[in-house]
Amino acid sequence: VEDSSRQFDLLEAALRERDAASAERAVHSLKSAAANVGGRALSRAAALAETRAHAGDLEAVAAQFAALRDLREMTVAELAPLMPDSAA
């Protein structure tokens, strides 16, 4: 969960720098991390962003950024009761 915040920072930087490969890596990591903790909605959304980044469609990834962030926050909130000292 903590790493997802870092992945968003990396994704934001990749979008700013117009770096599709880095954006793809960031959303791939986010997708995998979400899937590992049962965050299905976030994982599916990140998979779509990954496909778009792979195709070089950074505008579509950027348009999806806020929704991804919202899904991350919902996932973190759902996991918070399971985490010691809420390390989110």
Side-chain angles (χ1 to χ4, degrees):
V1 174
E2 291 174 7
D3 189 56
S4 66
S5 180
R6 180 176 178 273
Q7 295 309 319
F8 271 95
D9 291 344
L10 292 172
L11 176 57
E12 191 169 32
L15 292 172
R16 191 174 42 252
E17 296 167 10
R18 311 277 312 143
D19 183 347
S22 292
E24 183 179 0
R25 280 191 300 275
V27 291
H28 175 81
S29 294
L30 183 62
K31 173 189 78 174
S32 299
N36 284 336
V37 297
R40 291 187 204 127
L42 177 56
S43 183
R44 284 191 302 267
L48 177 59
E50 181 182 18
T51 299
R52 291 172 168 171
H54 182 76
D57 190 356
L58 293 178
E59 290 78 18
V61 178
Q64 194 180 352
F65 186 84
L68 285 167
R69 186 177 23 218
D70 291 346
L71 285 168
R72 182 223 180 244
E73 293 305 318
M74 287 190 301
T75 302
V76 168
E78 290 173 0
L79 293 173
L82 306 173
M83 296 169 34
D85 297 326
S86 189

